[in-house]
Amino acid sequence: MNVTQQLVNAIWLGSVYSLFALGYALVFSVLGVLNLAHSAVFMWGAFIGLISVIQFGLPVWMALPVAMVGAGVIAVLLERVAFAPLRARGAPRISQLISSIGASIFLVSLAQLVFGTQPQRFPFGSIPTDAIEGLPFRVTPIQIIILVIAVVLMALLNLMVQRTRLGQRMRAVAFNQRTAGLLGINVGGIYLSTFFLAGALAGAAGVLYGLAFNSMTPFIGDAIALKGLTVIVLGGLGNIQGALVGGFVVAGLEVFSIAAGGSNYRDAIVFTLLFLILLVRPQGLLGRKEITRA
Amino acid sequence: MDILRSIGITEPVIQFMLVNAILGLSIYLTLYTGMFSLANAGFMAVGAFTGVILTQEAGLPLGIGVLGGMALAGLVAIPIGLPVLRLHDIYLAIATIGFGEVVRILILNFDPLMSSITGQTVALTGGALGIKGIPKIAETWHLLLFLGIAAYCIARLHRSRFGRAMAAVRQDERVAANMGVNVVYVKNVVFILSAILAGGAGALSGHLTRIISPDGYGFDQAVQILAFAVLGGTGSIAGPIVGGIVLTGLPEVLRFASQYRGVINGLVLLLMIVYVPGGLVNPVGWARLWRRLRGPTPDA
Amino acid sequence: MRTRLFGLLMAFAILVMPFAAFAQDDVAMGADMAEACPAPANLPESITIGAVLTLSGGASVYGTTQQQGINLAISQINESGYLGEGTTLSIIFEDSASENEQAISAMTKLVEEDGVTMVLGPTLSREAFAADPVAQENGTVVMGVSNTAAGITDMGEFVFRNSLPEAAVIPGVVAQATANLGLTKVGLIYANDDDFTVSGYNFFRQSFIDNGVEIIGEETYATGDVDFRTQLTNLIAAEPDVIAMSALATEGVQIILQARELGFEGALMGGNGFNSPAVLEQTGEASNGLLVGAAWNIASTNPLSTAFMAAYEAAYSARPDQFAAQAYTGTWMFATALRCADSVDRTAVRDALAGLAEFATPLGSFSFDENRNPVHDPVVQVAQDGAFSVLGAE
């Protein structure tokens, strides 16, 4: 078994999982709801990036900011349509979960109408995919670029939440919405900012995913949706560092259960471990106690 | 009947509606007790495979198959419920999704696993190919009867001492415990009852679709079952039944929309939950929506 | 620049198309049967057939190209007056959403409510196992145009398929490739949660054993996975000469790209699912040396096949895949059965369809065996520089 190569595979896969899960975690930490349409926003991000390159002729590096803004706007619309009315009425959080499922079905079906079902890709030669020479393992420049972008985005998000005024307000709203409102924080505005940021992260993850795997259909979000959920629960719900760690842990578990010859039981191994971790540490690996939300 | 058929509600659709109404009831039980469990797709799989193996491999009648599916689903729920029901909210949801995935993967690998354990060739679940060629022996009246009995039992349960304990646990576990309710007992019993119902629905549906394979009982199905109850409303027994029926019928009725079917389906689901957040069976929500639509009353 | 050149070529193709079609009149689809069966006189003004396809959901990539193949055939059949003066063929498409339950309700609606004469589909084998008995019990012909699992036509005498089962394709590919390329060591990779890929894997495994090729490793993944580097790293470590993939196209594309990225230079082998220009477009140079066994040869010089490809490209600005070719052929087979039966009586149509023999189609000369399965030879194709050619035919 080529341990170094498998370790490289795990780190790389983990960065994709973590980046996807960050947006999930951000929305959950501030609003306390699971946004099951996050994977649909992710898919739209991938397509916005693709369209900006193949239809509008933008350079590939521009796909990332364009997709982040586009996906951020979609997420804001999602907040206004699927979440805000329910929150305003004080509906149970589980209703918001179901409305996000409706939104997800809508977004995926719409993508199918607009983009068709045939897989699409960035043009050949636009992405460096030849392995770097002279290393004891195989890794491509695009894998390294993606890893770096993912880590930078995660670090920026963390800084923003911990150090800026916006981040401070977000944490205040997360702690207690009513108190934050009484303190003069524009709670509705914070929700919009949170969704925009989460959408932008999903969009970035979508483009990077598109560049990495280079085969995009309206259904690319389906497979990663459950993975993202696993990652944030494992890491500690609503905990941003937790989502980061969780992504690498899940990817590592997957890679090494396959490497050890258990590819038939890979997901069973991941979920059994998740199950056990939840029983011992219900708050997740990095979570704090006393967060009870649905 | 003819009107129903002309809008796409044919007999198989009615049968799937009834199955989904039973599934809605099964998750209603846990939601009513304040437990956000998504294990029902997994219990449905246990019930479906057990029921079909009993009727097809052992040649037993459908009734025994359904009872067997219910029994095994209930038995599996005991060791799962004891540890997992200490969790709450989304943690419980994820742990139970994990259970569902493990069940799915075990069914997928059941034959080679059992073959290597017993040393003999085992061919029961058929792996990814599943079991095919199952005769369609479940009838509409079987489903109606099952749904009727289940609804009656739950209605009786609600009026019982145990039913009040369920409501108390949902309101506040600590207060319920202080009032002398055995919270752990109530939660586990409800979890098992919910599993039994889901197992029965699985066993019945396995004898409707002619083929069962593990991929029909994954994450999507778990969330779909939740949607039946939430869309219908968890305030009364009628809610999840109506939710199961409406959500099953909607894509069929929308067939006229051809390629716009998915878009409309998602939009309708979204609008229904946004404008009637308490669920479809929820007089208060409808009254509020009616007042909004009518505009402000002049004598307010 | 490339796109402009492509545009010019397309414009040229569209301009030339009508003339090309005119010039090839003697090889037009259905010409041979038009001689065998006289122009029908007793058919009603309009005949409706149905199709249950995966037009949404995870498998919609297949259903949508099938729909295009069927629409192309319908318009050709009506334009050529193949069903006689004043008879038009129309079709009702129903979406199965890639779900068994919806396939059942779609089939029920078509045969019981709409009363269609015949049904094409469903797209997936598991949907066929769920829904075909509805048509069988109703006494309506149903024909799979992409069902490859074993046992489809065992469901009854009204159940047909024109898609070669894996059992007929994979052993041929493995035998021919082993002989041609001298393969000795193979690594297998497949999705273990999908009926199509698992049954394909079973046939691959057995065929390699039968041909004396050593299996150096078997790896599995789950449908929807995107990263196969771990499994491929395991396989490549044992230095196989060929990696055989029982995969659907979506995952297959990633496996090809990642295997090459990890430095694998041997042959790659896939089943029906890889027989698509999209797979080659998505993988580029990485698919050089990809061996694909299939029911329809994209590089075929069969005039009906080239005419079909030209007409399809003119209509949809895309190259057809095997799913489109089989759906197109299936629609023409239905029309031919109607023409030869000269009736819409369900049993007469069934008998006429079952009696089709040596029908010239894009798939080659087509006949059914006594179990309503197709009888025609699979081809083994090898990919080079974005195009398929027949293995060994230089």
Side-chain angles (χ1 to χ4, degrees), chain B residues 23-76:
Chain B
L23 288 169
L25 277 184
S26 80
I27 200 166
Y28 163 81
L29 276 177
T30 44
L31 287 174
Y32 184 85
T33 319
M35 296 184 283
F36 186 10
S37 159
L38 291 176
N40 299 50
F43 290 127
M44 190 188 171
V46 171
F49 276 88
T50 310
V52 168
I53 288 168
L54 285 177
T55 62
Q56 299 310 299
E57 298 291 326
L60 295 167
L62 177 65
I64 305 291
V66 173
L67 285 175
M70 294 165 72
L72 193 64
L75 279 176
V76 172

Short mmCIF file of all heavy atoms in Angstrom, two decimals, chain B residues 23-76:
data_model
loop_
_atom_site.label_atom_id
_atom_site.label_comp_id
_atom_site.label_asym_id
_atom_site.label_seq_id
_atom_site.Cartn_x
_atom_site.Cartn_y
_atom_site.Cartn_z
N LEU B 23 -46.09 5.67 6.17
CA LEU B 23 -44.75 6.16 6.52
C LEU B 23 -44.84 7.51 7.22
O LEU B 23 -44.09 7.78 8.17
CB LEU B 23 -43.89 6.27 5.25
CG LEU B 23 -43.46 4.93 4.65
CD1 LEU B 23 -42.85 5.14 3.26
CD2 LEU B 23 -42.46 4.23 5.55
N GLY B 24 -45.75 8.35 6.75
CA GLY B 24 -45.96 9.65 7.40
C GLY B 24 -46.35 9.45 8.85
O GLY B 24 -45.82 10.11 9.76
N LEU B 25 -47.26 8.49 9.10
CA LEU B 25 -47.69 8.21 10.48
C LEU B 25 -46.51 7.73 11.31
O LEU B 25 -46.39 8.06 12.49
CB LEU B 25 -48.78 7.14 10.49
CG LEU B 25 -50.21 7.60 10.24
CD1 LEU B 25 -51.14 6.41 10.38
CD2 LEU B 25 -50.61 8.71 11.20
N SER B 26 -45.64 6.92 10.68
CA SER B 26 -44.54 6.34 11.47
C SER B 26 -43.62 7.45 11.97
O SER B 26 -43.16 7.41 13.10
CB SER B 26 -43.79 5.30 10.66
OG SER B 26 -42.87 5.90 9.77
N ILE B 27 -43.35 8.44 11.13
CA ILE B 27 -42.44 9.50 11.60
C ILE B 27 -43.19 10.50 12.46
O ILE B 27 -42.61 11.17 13.32
CB ILE B 27 -41.71 10.19 10.42
CG1 ILE B 27 -40.46 10.90 10.92
CG2 ILE B 27 -42.62 11.15 9.68
CD1 ILE B 27 -39.51 11.32 9.84
N TYR B 28 -44.50 10.58 12.27
CA TYR B 28 -45.33 11.44 13.11
C TYR B 28 -45.19 11.05 14.58
O TYR B 28 -45.10 11.90 15.47
CB TYR B 28 -46.79 11.35 12.65
CG TYR B 28 -47.81 11.85 13.62
CD1 TYR B 28 -48.08 13.21 13.73
CD2 TYR B 28 -48.52 10.96 14.43
CE1 TYR B 28 -49.03 13.67 14.62
CE2 TYR B 28 -49.47 11.42 15.32
CZ TYR B 28 -49.73 12.77 15.42
OH TYR B 28 -50.66 13.22 16.31
N LEU B 29 -45.16 9.74 14.84
CA LEU B 29 -45.05 9.26 16.22
C LEU B 29 -43.81 9.83 16.90
O LEU B 29 -43.89 10.34 18.03
CB LEU B 29 -44.96 7.73 16.24
CG LEU B 29 -46.28 6.98 16.17
CD1 LEU B 29 -46.01 5.48 16.12
CD2 LEU B 29 -47.13 7.30 17.40
N THR B 30 -42.66 9.75 16.21
CA THR B 30 -41.44 10.24 16.85
C THR B 30 -41.44 11.76 16.93
O THR B 30 -41.04 12.32 17.94
CB THR B 30 -40.19 9.75 16.08
OG1 THR B 30 -40.41 9.92 14.68
CG2 THR B 30 -39.89 8.31 16.37
N LEU B 31 -41.93 12.44 15.88
CA LEU B 31 -41.97 13.90 15.93
C LEU B 31 -42.88 14.38 17.05
O LEU B 31 -42.58 15.34 17.76
CB LEU B 31 -42.46 14.47 14.59
CG LEU B 31 -41.49 14.39 13.41
CD1 LEU B 31 -42.17 14.84 12.13
CD2 LEU B 31 -40.24 15.22 13.67
N TYR B 32 -44.02 13.69 17.23
CA TYR B 32 -44.98 14.06 18.26
C TYR B 32 -44.36 13.97 19.64
O TYR B 32 -44.73 14.69 20.56
CB TYR B 32 -46.21 13.15 18.16
CG TYR B 32 -47.31 13.51 19.11
CD1 TYR B 32 -48.25 14.49 18.78
CD2 TYR B 32 -47.42 12.89 20.36
CE1 TYR B 32 -49.25 14.84 19.65
CE2 TYR B 32 -48.43 13.23 21.24
CZ TYR B 32 -49.34 14.21 20.88
OH TYR B 32 -50.34 14.56 21.74
N THR B 33 -43.38 13.06 19.77
CA THR B 33 -42.72 12.88 21.06
C THR B 33 -41.46 13.76 21.14
O THR B 33 -40.67 13.62 22.06
CB THR B 33 -42.39 11.40 21.27
OG1 THR B 33 -43.51 10.64 20.81
CG2 THR B 33 -42.15 11.05 22.71
N GLY B 34 -41.28 14.62 20.14
CA GLY B 34 -40.15 15.54 20.19
C GLY B 34 -38.84 14.96 19.72
O GLY B 34 -37.78 15.50 20.01
N MET B 35 -38.91 13.82 19.00
CA MET B 35 -37.66 13.21 18.54
C MET B 35 -37.53 13.42 17.03
O MET B 35 -38.40 13.05 16.26
CB MET B 35 -37.66 11.71 18.84
CG MET B 35 -37.68 11.39 20.32
SD MET B 35 -37.55 9.62 20.61
CE MET B 35 -39.19 9.06 20.22
N PHE B 36 -36.40 13.99 16.62
CA PHE B 36 -36.15 14.27 15.22
C PHE B 36 -35.35 13.10 14.65
O PHE B 36 -34.15 13.19 14.45
CB PHE B 36 -35.38 15.59 15.10
CG PHE B 36 -35.17 16.07 13.71
CD1 PHE B 36 -35.80 15.51 12.61
CD2 PHE B 36 -34.31 17.14 13.48
CE1 PHE B 36 -35.60 15.97 11.34
CE2 PHE B 36 -34.10 17.62 12.20
CZ PHE B 36 -34.74 17.04 11.13
N SER B 37 -36.06 11.98 14.40
CA SER B 37 -35.38 10.78 13.93
C SER B 37 -35.60 10.60 12.43
O SER B 37 -36.70 10.78 11.93
CB SER B 37 -35.94 9.55 14.65
OG SER B 37 -35.68 8.38 13.91
N LEU B 38 -34.54 10.26 11.72
CA LEU B 38 -34.65 10.01 10.29
C LEU B 38 -34.33 8.54 9.99
O LEU B 38 -33.80 8.20 8.94
CB LEU B 38 -33.72 10.93 9.50
CG LEU B 38 -34.10 12.41 9.50
CD1 LEU B 38 -33.06 13.26 8.78
CD2 LEU B 38 -35.46 12.61 8.84
N ALA B 39 -34.65 7.66 10.94
CA ALA B 39 -34.29 6.26 10.78
C ALA B 39 -35.32 5.49 9.98
O ALA B 39 -35.11 4.32 9.65
CB ALA B 39 -34.13 5.61 12.16
N ASN B 40 -36.45 6.12 9.63
CA ASN B 40 -37.57 5.34 9.09
C ASN B 40 -37.29 4.69 7.75
O ASN B 40 -37.84 3.63 7.45
CB ASN B 40 -38.82 6.21 9.03
CG ASN B 40 -39.21 6.69 10.41
OD1 ASN B 40 -38.37 7.21 11.14
ND2 ASN B 40 -40.45 6.49 10.79
N ALA B 41 -36.45 5.33 6.90
CA ALA B 41 -36.11 4.69 5.62
C ALA B 41 -35.36 3.38 5.88
O ALA B 41 -35.58 2.38 5.20
CB ALA B 41 -35.29 5.63 4.75
N GLY B 42 -34.49 3.40 6.88
CA GLY B 42 -33.75 2.19 7.24
C GLY B 42 -34.69 1.09 7.74
O GLY B 42 -34.58 -0.07 7.33
N PHE B 43 -35.65 1.46 8.60
CA PHE B 43 -36.62 0.47 9.10
C PHE B 43 -37.50 -0.04 7.96
O PHE B 43 -37.88 -1.22 7.92
CB PHE B 43 -37.47 1.06 10.21
CG PHE B 43 -36.70 1.30 11.48
CD1 PHE B 43 -36.71 2.55 12.09
CD2 PHE B 43 -35.95 0.29 12.05
CE1 PHE B 43 -35.98 2.78 13.25
CE2 PHE B 43 -35.23 0.50 13.20
CZ PHE B 43 -35.24 1.76 13.80
N MET B 44 -37.81 0.85 7.02
CA MET B 44 -38.61 0.46 5.87
C MET B 44 -37.85 -0.61 5.07
O MET B 44 -38.43 -1.61 4.62
CB MET B 44 -38.84 1.69 5.01
CG MET B 44 -39.85 1.50 3.91
SD MET B 44 -39.85 2.95 2.83
CE MET B 44 -40.89 2.33 1.51
N ALA B 45 -36.53 -0.41 4.91
CA ALA B 45 -35.72 -1.38 4.18
C ALA B 45 -35.72 -2.73 4.90
O ALA B 45 -35.89 -3.78 4.27
CB ALA B 45 -34.29 -0.86 4.04
N VAL B 46 -35.56 -2.70 6.23
CA VAL B 46 -35.57 -3.94 7.01
C VAL B 46 -36.90 -4.66 6.79
O VAL B 46 -36.95 -5.87 6.51
CB VAL B 46 -35.36 -3.66 8.51
CG1 VAL B 46 -35.58 -4.91 9.34
CG2 VAL B 46 -33.96 -3.10 8.75
N GLY B 47 -38.01 -3.92 6.87
CA GLY B 47 -39.33 -4.51 6.70
C GLY B 47 -39.52 -5.06 5.30
O GLY B 47 -40.04 -6.16 5.11
N ALA B 48 -39.08 -4.30 4.29
CA ALA B 48 -39.28 -4.73 2.90
C ALA B 48 -38.52 -6.01 2.62
O ALA B 48 -39.09 -6.98 2.09
CB ALA B 48 -38.82 -3.62 1.95
N PHE B 49 -37.24 -6.06 2.99
CA PHE B 49 -36.46 -7.26 2.68
C PHE B 49 -36.94 -8.45 3.49
O PHE B 49 -37.04 -9.57 2.97
CB PHE B 49 -34.96 -6.98 2.86
CG PHE B 49 -34.35 -6.35 1.65
CD1 PHE B 49 -34.35 -4.97 1.49
CD2 PHE B 49 -33.82 -7.12 0.62
CE1 PHE B 49 -33.82 -4.38 0.35
CE2 PHE B 49 -33.29 -6.55 -0.52
CZ PHE B 49 -33.29 -5.17 -0.66
N THR B 50 -37.25 -8.23 4.77
CA THR B 50 -37.74 -9.34 5.59
C THR B 50 -39.05 -9.87 5.02
O THR B 50 -39.22 -11.09 4.83
CB THR B 50 -37.98 -8.87 7.04
OG1 THR B 50 -36.82 -8.19 7.49
CG2 THR B 50 -38.27 -10.04 7.94
N GLY B 51 -39.98 -8.95 4.73
CA GLY B 51 -41.29 -9.37 4.23
C GLY B 51 -41.17 -10.15 2.93
O GLY B 51 -41.77 -11.22 2.77
N VAL B 52 -40.39 -9.63 2.01
CA VAL B 52 -40.27 -10.27 0.70
C VAL B 52 -39.56 -11.62 0.81
O VAL B 52 -39.96 -12.60 0.19
CB VAL B 52 -39.54 -9.34 -0.30
CG1 VAL B 52 -39.14 -10.09 -1.55
CG2 VAL B 52 -40.43 -8.15 -0.65
N ILE B 53 -38.53 -11.69 1.65
CA ILE B 53 -37.83 -12.97 1.80
C ILE B 53 -38.78 -14.01 2.41
O ILE B 53 -38.80 -15.17 2.00
CB ILE B 53 -36.54 -12.79 2.65
CG1 ILE B 53 -35.49 -12.04 1.82
CG2 ILE B 53 -35.99 -14.14 3.10
CD1 ILE B 53 -34.30 -11.56 2.61
N LEU B 54 -39.62 -13.56 3.37
CA LEU B 54 -40.56 -14.51 3.99
C LEU B 54 -41.58 -15.03 2.96
O LEU B 54 -41.87 -16.22 2.93
CB LEU B 54 -41.29 -13.85 5.17
CG LEU B 54 -40.46 -13.67 6.43
CD1 LEU B 54 -41.25 -12.95 7.50
CD2 LEU B 54 -39.97 -15.02 6.95
N THR B 55 -42.12 -14.14 2.12
CA THR B 55 -43.13 -14.63 1.17
C THR B 55 -42.50 -15.37 0.00
O THR B 55 -43.06 -16.33 -0.49
CB THR B 55 -44.01 -13.49 0.62
OG1 THR B 55 -43.19 -12.57 -0.10
CG2 THR B 55 -44.74 -12.75 1.72
N GLN B 56 -41.33 -14.92 -0.45
CA GLN B 56 -40.74 -15.51 -1.66
C GLN B 56 -39.87 -16.72 -1.37
O GLN B 56 -39.94 -17.72 -2.07
CB GLN B 56 -39.93 -14.46 -2.44
CG GLN B 56 -40.74 -13.28 -2.89
CD GLN B 56 -42.01 -13.70 -3.60
OE1 GLN B 56 -41.97 -14.36 -4.63
NE2 GLN B 56 -43.16 -13.36 -3.04
N GLU B 57 -39.02 -16.64 -0.35
CA GLU B 57 -38.10 -17.74 -0.07
C GLU B 57 -38.78 -18.80 0.79
O GLU B 57 -38.59 -19.99 0.58
CB GLU B 57 -36.83 -17.23 0.63
CG GLU B 57 -36.03 -16.25 -0.19
CD GLU B 57 -35.36 -16.90 -1.40
OE1 GLU B 57 -34.96 -18.07 -1.30
OE2 GLU B 57 -35.27 -16.23 -2.46
N ALA B 58 -39.57 -18.34 1.78
CA ALA B 58 -40.18 -19.30 2.69
C ALA B 58 -41.60 -19.65 2.26
O ALA B 58 -42.23 -20.53 2.85
CB ALA B 58 -40.18 -18.74 4.11
N GLY B 59 -42.12 -18.95 1.25
CA GLY B 59 -43.44 -19.26 0.73
C GLY B 59 -44.59 -18.98 1.69
O GLY B 59 -45.66 -19.57 1.59
N LEU B 60 -44.38 -18.05 2.61
CA LEU B 60 -45.44 -17.74 3.58
C LEU B 60 -46.42 -16.73 2.99
O LEU B 60 -46.09 -16.01 2.05
CB LEU B 60 -44.79 -17.18 4.85
CG LEU B 60 -43.90 -18.17 5.59
CD1 LEU B 60 -43.07 -17.47 6.65
CD2 LEU B 60 -44.75 -19.28 6.22
N PRO B 61 -47.62 -16.65 3.54
CA PRO B 61 -48.58 -15.66 3.02
C PRO B 61 -48.16 -14.22 3.33
O PRO B 61 -47.33 -13.98 4.22
CB PRO B 61 -49.89 -16.02 3.72
CG PRO B 61 -49.50 -16.84 4.90
CD PRO B 61 -48.21 -17.50 4.57
N LEU B 62 -48.78 -13.30 2.60
CA LEU B 62 -48.41 -11.88 2.73
C LEU B 62 -48.55 -11.39 4.17
O LEU B 62 -47.68 -10.67 4.66
CB LEU B 62 -49.30 -11.03 1.81
CG LEU B 62 -49.09 -9.52 1.88
CD1 LEU B 62 -47.71 -9.14 1.41
CD2 LEU B 62 -50.14 -8.79 1.06
N GLY B 63 -49.63 -11.80 4.84
CA GLY B 63 -49.87 -11.34 6.22
C GLY B 63 -48.70 -11.66 7.12
O GLY B 63 -48.24 -10.83 7.90
N ILE B 64 -48.17 -12.88 6.99
CA ILE B 64 -47.03 -13.29 7.81
C ILE B 64 -45.80 -12.47 7.43
O ILE B 64 -45.02 -12.03 8.29
CB ILE B 64 -46.73 -14.80 7.63
CG1 ILE B 64 -47.98 -15.64 7.92
CG2 ILE B 64 -45.57 -15.23 8.51
CD1 ILE B 64 -48.40 -15.65 9.35
N GLY B 65 -45.64 -12.24 6.12
CA GLY B 65 -44.51 -11.44 5.66
C GLY B 65 -44.53 -10.05 6.27
O GLY B 65 -43.51 -9.55 6.75
N VAL B 66 -45.72 -9.44 6.26
CA VAL B 66 -45.84 -8.08 6.81
C VAL B 66 -45.57 -8.10 8.31
O VAL B 66 -44.81 -7.27 8.83
CB VAL B 66 -47.23 -7.49 6.50
CG1 VAL B 66 -47.42 -6.16 7.21
CG2 VAL B 66 -47.39 -7.31 4.99
N LEU B 67 -46.16 -9.07 9.01
CA LEU B 67 -45.93 -9.16 10.46
C LEU B 67 -44.44 -9.39 10.75
O LEU B 67 -43.88 -8.80 11.67
CB LEU B 67 -46.76 -10.29 11.05
CG LEU B 67 -48.25 -9.99 11.20
CD1 LEU B 67 -49.01 -11.22 11.69
CD2 LEU B 67 -48.48 -8.81 12.16
N GLY B 68 -43.81 -10.25 9.94
CA GLY B 68 -42.38 -10.52 10.12
C GLY B 68 -41.55 -9.27 9.92
O GLY B 68 -40.63 -8.99 10.69
N GLY B 69 -41.88 -8.52 8.86
CA GLY B 69 -41.16 -7.27 8.59
C GLY B 69 -41.31 -6.30 9.74
O GLY B 69 -40.34 -5.64 10.16
N MET B 70 -42.54 -6.21 10.27
CA MET B 70 -42.79 -5.30 11.40
C MET B 70 -41.98 -5.75 12.61
O MET B 70 -41.35 -4.93 13.30
CB MET B 70 -44.28 -5.28 11.73
CG MET B 70 -45.14 -4.67 10.65
SD MET B 70 -46.91 -5.04 10.87
CE MET B 70 -47.29 -3.99 12.26
N ALA B 71 -42.00 -7.06 12.85
CA ALA B 71 -41.34 -7.60 14.04
C ALA B 71 -39.83 -7.35 13.98
O ALA B 71 -39.24 -6.87 14.96
CB ALA B 71 -41.63 -9.09 14.17
N LEU B 72 -39.21 -7.63 12.82
CA LEU B 72 -37.77 -7.47 12.75
C LEU B 72 -37.37 -6.00 12.85
O LEU B 72 -36.40 -5.65 13.53
CB LEU B 72 -37.20 -8.10 11.48
CG LEU B 72 -35.68 -8.24 11.51
CD1 LEU B 72 -35.24 -9.19 12.61
CD2 LEU B 72 -35.14 -8.74 10.18
N ALA B 73 -38.17 -5.13 12.18
CA ALA B 73 -37.87 -3.69 12.27
C ALA B 73 -37.95 -3.25 13.73
O ALA B 73 -37.09 -2.50 14.22
CB ALA B 73 -38.84 -2.90 11.41
N GLY B 74 -38.97 -3.73 14.46
CA GLY B 74 -39.11 -3.38 15.87
C GLY B 74 -37.94 -3.90 16.70
O GLY B 74 -37.42 -3.19 17.57
N LEU B 75 -37.51 -5.12 16.41
CA LEU B 75 -36.40 -5.71 17.15
C LEU B 75 -35.11 -4.92 16.92
O LEU B 75 -34.35 -4.67 17.85
CB LEU B 75 -36.18 -7.16 16.72
CG LEU B 75 -37.12 -8.18 17.36
CD1 LEU B 75 -36.87 -9.57 16.77
CD2 LEU B 75 -36.91 -8.21 18.87
N VAL B 76 -34.87 -4.54 15.66
CA VAL B 76 -33.66 -3.78 15.35
C VAL B 76 -33.69 -2.44 16.07
O VAL B 76 -32.65 -1.92 16.49
CB VAL B 76 -33.54 -3.58 13.81
CG1 VAL B 76 -32.41 -2.62 13.49
CG2 VAL B 76 -33.32 -4.91 13.12
#
